[in-house]
Amino acid sequence: MRLVDIQTRLYRLPLSHPMSDATHGQMTHFELVTVTLRDDDGRAGLGYSYTIGEGGAALRALIDRALCPLLKGADPRRIEQIWQRMWWQLHYIGRGGLVSFAMAAVDIALWDLRGIREGEPLWRLLGGCQGCARAYAGGIDLQLSTDGLLEQTQANLEAGFRAIKIKVGRERLSEDVDRVRAVRELIGPDIPLMVDANMRWSVEQAVRAARAFREHDIYWLEEPTIPDDYRGHGRIAREGGAPLAAGENFRTVYEFRHLMAEEAVDFPEPDVSNIGGITPWMQVARLAQAHNLPVTSHGVHELHLHLLAAVPNPSLMEVHSFGLERYMHDPPVLREGIMQAGEAPGHGVCLDMDAIAEFEQDCR
């Protein structure tokens, strides 16, 4: 069995409305880079990665020029071998960054192809522990007024979400506290409420914020400071008194190992599209299990649904504002806070090519 054809595409997809957080400013679109792998029996697997607006052309070029020659003629059943070959082929310029995004798109396509070949959905292929995931609404809403934030939260509750996340990191901590208080009062005491600072603060500021949020019973404080400061996260965890979620900006399993060694994370948060794919995501999930920690996710919920449904230590799954629902056939459905993983072979993501055709970018 051999890979005989690899095709890549780049799309620039508009968001439903402008969104903002504490570090990335206003966002109006995201980029989707897709990889389609076809084997000599005619089966095709789809993989993809995304950006928050820039870098997609470079990501696609890296796949085309560095990874496609390596993949052509490879045995797609040997996923771990292919992952290692990609890792060491690009190790000198990589160990993260665009390399991890590029490898992710290929690795996801390989796992999709394996599921299609074996006639099994991805969640069952990877372990099949739950078959579903508890979901939360991940808002990108820092610049919404408090009234707008409450309207968004109410809409999410009416849509079936039973857990809510909002952005923090306003100019004054008192503004963040007021917004957290308002949302907690709206949703009541029993619905998990998470807050996400998107790396906005110093360690000292994060400690102060964590302490200020405690009376409102936050489920976790996410990305309180820069991802590289493992000891800083440890101090925030010890002195702030709030559970921490972190890892969406990590690009390797080793970064998670360092953070866990510092006892600086309660909810490890790998993102399958930028940590190098499904293969390393599952390694992080097992590492978290070995530390008696639940694993959560960031974005790409149509894929993370399968991954969290497969493992014995899942936490809540983020349903991200950058979702592909508008561009998919038969997207997953939320019912009373739960999403069921499907039975279609592979990951089951079938893009509506007519819906996204107008957004394709010609960057060759």
Side-chain angles (χ1 to χ4, degrees):
M1 187 172 295
R2 294 287 180 260
L3 291 175
V4 297
D5 187 56
I6 303 105
Q7 294 184 352
T8 64
R9 295 181 183 273
L10 169 63
Y11 301 91
R12 191 175 177 89
L13 301 175
L15 295 171
S16 59
H17 59 277
M19 301 175 187
S20 59
D21 65 23
T23 52
H24 301 105
Q26 188 174 81
M27 293 165 277
T28 60
H29 63 275
F30 66 102
E31 294 175 307
L32 185 75
V33 177
T34 67
V35 175
T36 302
L37 303 180
R38 193 173 301 276
D39 67 19
D40 50 8
D41 284 333
R43 290 175 291 240
L46 173 69
Y48 52 93
S49 191
Y50 75 98
T51 81
I52 61 171
E54 302 297 336
L59 174 55
R60 181 185 183 187
L62 185 61
I63 297 170
D64 286 340
R65 298 176 187 177
L67 296 184
C68 283
L70 178 151
L71 293 166
K72 192 69 70 72
D75 183 345
R77 296 168 297 186
R78 303 184 69 177
I79 297 176
E80 184 67 54
Q81 183 202 50
I82 291 172
W83 197 95
Q84 291 293 330
R85 289 179 64 196
M86 292 190 295
W87 173 257
W88 289 110
Q89 178 89 356
L90 298 175
H91 184 269
Y92 191 68
I93 64 163
R95 298 173 57 247
L98 285 174
V99 168
S100 291
F101 284 77
M103 290 175 60
V106 172
D107 187 74
I108 291 164
L110 287 168
W111 279 101
D112 187 40
L113 183 58
R114 178 177 172 181
I116 291 168
R117 183 175 64 248
E118 298 186 17
E120 288 282 4
L122 184 60
W123 66 271
R124 191 177 295 133
L125 198 66
L126 293 171
C129 199
Q130 276 79 226
C132 64
R134 294 188 301 144
Y136 73 86
I140 304 178
D141 46 33
L142 185 66
Q143 298 307 325
L144 287 182
S145 67
T146 300
D147 287 343
L149 181 63
L150 294 177
E151 289 174 8
Q152 173 187 271
T153 301
Q154 184 61 45
N156 284 328
L157 295 174
E158 292 172 0
F161 287 101
R162 297 297 177 263
I164 301 291
K165 187 174 81 178
I166 67 171
K167 297 296 188 183
V168 291
R170 305 271 285 205
E171 287 301 316
R172 292 186 294 273
L173 178 57
S174 60
E175 295 180 82
D176 287 327
V177 174
D178 288 344
R179 290 159 66 85
V180 171
R181 179 188 298 113
V183 174
R184 172 54 75 197
E185 289 175 353
L186 173 64
I187 67 178
D190 298 324
I191 289 180
L193 172 60
M194 291 77 81
V195 298
D196 184 355
N198 289 107
M199 309 171 285
R200 169 72 169 178
W201 297 316
S202 68
V203 171
E204 181 62 37
Q205 290 172 317
V207 170
R208 291 181 59 242
R211 290 171 175 171
F213 296 146
R214 278 191 299 191
E215 66 177 289
H216 305 299
D217 190 27
I218 60 169
Y219 195 77
W220 72 52
L221 170 59
E222 184 173 332
E223 282 205 303
T225 194
I226 58 172
D228 316 88
D229 189 354
Y230 306 122
R231 290 186 177 180
H233 277 85
R235 183 183 161 202
I236 297 165
R238 290 189 302 272
E239 298 180 19
L244 300 187
E248 71 178 69
N249 279 289
F250 286 169
R251 303 294 180 252
T252 69
V253 176
Y254 309 110
E255 293 166 288
F256 281 96
R257 185 183 68 182
H258 292 317
L259 198 64
M260 293 180 202
E262 291 287 343
E263 298 183 351
V265 65
D266 300 279
F267 297 91
E269 186 186 16
D271 182 327
V272 68
S273 76
N274 57 36
I275 198 174
I278 292 167
T279 299
W281 194 99
M282 293 297 292
Q283 293 171 2
V284 174
R286 296 186 187 103
L287 181 65
Q289 184 183 7
H291 284 79
N292 199 26
L293 296 172
V295 63
T296 182
S297 63
H298 170 257
V300 208
H301 52 270
E302 66 281 352
L303 295 180
H304 284 132
L305 172 58
H306 284 269
L307 306 188
L308 289 167
V311 300
N313 58 322
S315 180
L316 292 159
M317 176 187 74
E318 180 176 41
V319 174
H320 200 273
S321 301
F322 285 18
L324 290 175
E325 289 90 347
R326 290 182 295 159
Y327 309 109
M328 285 175 58
H329 296 290
D330 300 318
V333 176
L334 178 74
R335 291 188 176 89
E336 294 299 315
I338 303 292
M339 278 189 179
Q340 294 287 334
E343 288 292 327
H347 54 52
V349 176
C350 181
L351 294 176
D352 183 341
M353 303 311 295
D354 291 334
I356 67 172
E358 65 178 294
F359 306 115
E360 186 171 0
Q361 306 295 298
D362 184 6
C363 59
R364 292 175 182 270

